[in-house]
Amino acid sequence: MLRIWASAELAIACAAVVAIFLSVLWQVISRYVPALNWPEVGEIANYSLIVLTFIMVGYLIGNNGHIVIQVIDYVAKGRAARMAVKAVSSACTAVICALLAWEAFELIQAYPNRRTAALEIPIWILYAVPLLGFLSGTVRAIVRIFQAGHPDPLFDSAEAR
Amino acid sequence: MILELWMVGLVITLLLLIRVPVGLAFIGPSLWWALADGNSGGFALKTAFDGLNSFPLLAVPLFILVGVMANRLGVADRLYEFCLAALARVRGNLAYVNIGTAVGFSWMSGSALADVAGLGKIEVPHMVKAGYPYRFAAGLSASSALISPVMPPSIPAVIYAATATVSTGALFAASVVPALLMAVGLCVYVFVWTARRPDMVSVPFDRQRLRTAAIGTIGPAFVPVILLGGILSGTFTPTEAASVAVLLMIVLGLIYRTLTPRVLLQSLRETAVITGGIGLILASAALLGLILTRAHVSRDVAELVTSVSTEPWAFILMVNIVMLILGTVVDAVAAILVTVPVLLPIATSLGVDPVYFGVVLILNLMIGLLTPPVGSVLFVTASVTGRPVEEVFRGVVPFLIPLVAVLALISAFPAISLWLPHLLGF
Amino acid sequence: AGCSTQDNAPTAEGENPRITLKIGSSQPETQPNFYCGMKLLKERIEGQNLNLTLDLFPNSQLGPDAERFSSVQAGDIDIDLQGGSAMSTAFPKIGVLDAAYVFNDVDHFFKWADQNGQDFFKEFNAATDTTIVDAWYFGMRTFTATKPIRKPEDLAGLKIRFPNTPQFLANAKALGANAVAIAVEELYLALQQGVAQGQENPVVATHAQKFDEVLKVASLTNHQVGTHYVVVSDKTLDKMNQAQKDGLFKAIRDIRAENRKCVDDETKKVLDGWRADSGRTVVEIDQVDRQAFISKAETYFNTYFKGADLELYKSVRAAA
Ligand code: NA
Ligand code: NA
């Protein structure tokens, strides 16, 4: 179940990379072919980066792929100590993600009518992306609390699936 | 105020220490502070969200994609082969090849990790086989990888430029000479090292091999031409140049017949994963930065700094010391995002050029990538060569001498960084 | 939410809360709207015994325009200086007031704001939960380019940078310009390299952002009255007592005239510098075929605007 969810998140993020590439390229080309001039592409590119970032939150928590600071590994050597660190860390992560999901929900309610400047996309649709991302992050972090006994496999971005 | 700002700093530090993802460790306490300060529910997320809404930042995923593709499409291998053929007869040739390939690849890659992951995997075993000690090989590969994030295109430069609102093009131009100086510094060290090692044999020179290898690098040579040439001639802006570089990689992949749908998909996945990690830090640092601004932290730090000295050189010296220390424990992107809003106003008020300041800041933080406890280049080098981190670090230590020397040179003489952007009219 | 000082939910009788107000703006500290605006407001307010403190955040320190305005709506920023188009994402109709040549000049703008603006600002308040107290002049938007622009035809063949919002891009079309969208961070470089051959901004802003280092011809088309609305969050007003609100509103309105003189002086100073420079050309107001621009813009906007927007546009034009 989480596997399918993860591949959906990664697929959306990949689509966002493609969208960023194509829209920025479009902006270059349209400067030389004025007929293609469509100022809205800048907005597509910017919101794609936002979508990419927030949709990947849960995926990266689930796969131990976020940028973390590994100092504790030098201190906590024993199995019990590592287990405790992982459990506490995951619990904190879950709380922060849950708070952010709540904030996303607040934003959706706070700006029912606001739209983006160029494409006039209702802004609440865009705030739904962090809502999904942080809900997914909360679930992933809770799952990690229960997996605290297992050491994390090293995450390799080159092999991301 | 209900909650003091230093408590936010304390909680962030605690969260970072227990391995909470950097981005979330920044957001959590900031969110709590913002609510306690009477802001609306949603303030924290909205600020983080808006922080990503910046055109210059779009260069980040695009330059990551360029570096990832250059690795996967065999471009790195071609550069290596060319340097190998060209430097065949030089004593200690594999060491110079290592540096030369790093310089070539640095034009295609914006971060150090793509470098060690791709090139380190090939070079270290090669050097070990040719009789170089593992520590020397690993230390050199890790150190030469630092040229990538300094030479344009550079992800730290893009992020600094966006945060400091200076021209990305100017920062790119200012980074070229410092990046080359790093290469020179490493070469000097290699020269001194090989002088005492007459046993470091070379291989026969093969004209045909060099010609074939040279033809193989014609395509990749277009990348720096298009990047800097395109930016300087006004064909496109730095962000747009990134998309053109991706296009060029696709064309090269089609010509070399290495661009399969599988390679393309895996490149996209790798880019998405890396960007997602950096993106969350970008977003969270926007929130932390706004909180520091609203609390006028820059003003307070400025008072502290100027009470010590108002000389620009003293300020730069302080920045060097603080950043070298910070760089050992904090991720470079996060460090740029958090320190620039605080330090840049001070730098400007002391008459320090913001472009030069950016070059110094980036160089400092890049050296931190080589040092424990938090040094991603160290970890990746250890992981791709299958040896312990401690051993890689022992190998890195001697190379810190030329790197810190170059840093001192660049800090002491702003003209080293600034003459090229000035020449080009930035 | 209240829309004037009178009908706000009042703070309890006799209460005199100590309040710190965060005021934001995109203007750097070198600009008239900072030193003859925000800073003056701080001095005036804190000089009275109102229990109010102002915390100034110029230079987009609190974020870009549109983002700051949504923070005003949420009450996270108390006061902000905002152009119309950034607020049009929340209240599209206000974009009309940024249409090219909708106002002939500054006097036309303030006359309209004082006589007919009240209903409009009330409607704005109902839709956004923010109160526009007054507007401060910011300068007439004008072209600076590589070539003189005297009539609409002169714009053909020039790529001019316009801010990337629907109303500004409509202005480009209305004037007959080829708009290019370039992020403001990259604009200086883009001008230098010829990615764009011109841009439009008030004279003081063009000079402050150093665009005049690259562009040597200024054409005083004065196609748009640049104003910053001084907009206050209703969440903030709810926390203030009547004396505080009255004091704040009066100070903001009193500054209008002083600020305008300040902007005019600074504009004149920059323009005189340009005129004295033999390497530059200033196409003066009377050398521009204003009538040709105005009728071209009017023809365009009479079909571009629809419904209530068109009604507003026509009523403003009728008062010209
Ligand atoms: Na590079
Ligand atoms: Na480090």
Side-chain angles (χ1 to χ4, degrees), chain B residues 34-53:
Chain B
L35 286 177
D37 195 36
N39 291 287
S40 61
F43 170 84
L45 180 62
K46 180 176 168 297
T47 308
F49 184 99
D50 292 342
L52 285 170
N53 195 352

Side-chain angles (χ1 to χ4, degrees), chain B residues 40 46 231 239 294 296 425, chain C residues 22 55 70 76 186 192-193:
Chain B
S40 61
K46 180 176 168 297
I231 294 171
T239 310
R294 287 169 59 133
H296 296 292
Chain C
K22 283 186 268 301
D55 203 0
S70 54
D76 297 333
E186 292 184 343
Q192 201 168 39
Q193 296 165 337

Side-chain angles (χ1 to χ4, degrees), chain B residues 118-129:
Chain B
L119 289 168
K121 210 183 305 191
I122 319 167
E123 290 170 342
V124 177
H126 250 185
M127 289 175 76
V128 170
K129 212 169 144 195

Side-chain angles (χ1 to χ4, degrees), chain C residues 80-82 84 87 97 109 121 132 134-135 227-231:
Chain C
D80 208 278
L81 306 191
Q82 285 282 340
M87 298 193 286
L97 302 183
F109 173 83
F121 294 143
I132 290 177
D134 202 354
T227 48
H228 283 149
Y229 299 97
V230 185
V231 53

